[in-house]
Amino acid sequence: MSRQYIDCREFPSTMHCSVAISADTPKELLEAAVQHATTVHGHQDSPELRQQLAQMFKSGTPPVSLPSATAA
């Protein structure tokens, strides 16, 4: 199974969170992402949150920096 990640920088918020989390298994990544979402962002752990987070997973590792939205 390939490494997967989720990157808060892809979901702008008032916190300007720059955390990216990666793991070797979807289960491990989901648990870390849920812990981050509840502890840092104040979300409630629920089946809906877990489903939303899992749908945001990407294959590979997070980039060092995200491309600028204003770059041509």
Side-chain angles (χ1 to χ4, degrees), residues 7-47:
D7 193 334
C8 277
R9 297 172 297 175
E10 295 179 6
F11 310 98
S13 68
T14 57
M15 300 182 78
H16 303 291
C17 185
S18 63
V19 169
I21 304 168
S22 62
D24 289 334
T25 68
K27 181 179 177 182
E28 183 180 21
L29 180 55
L30 183 59
E31 292 307 317
V34 167
Q35 183 178 17
H36 175 75
T38 57
T39 304
V40 176
H41 295 286
H43 294 288
Q44 293 294 326
D45 187 354
S46 68

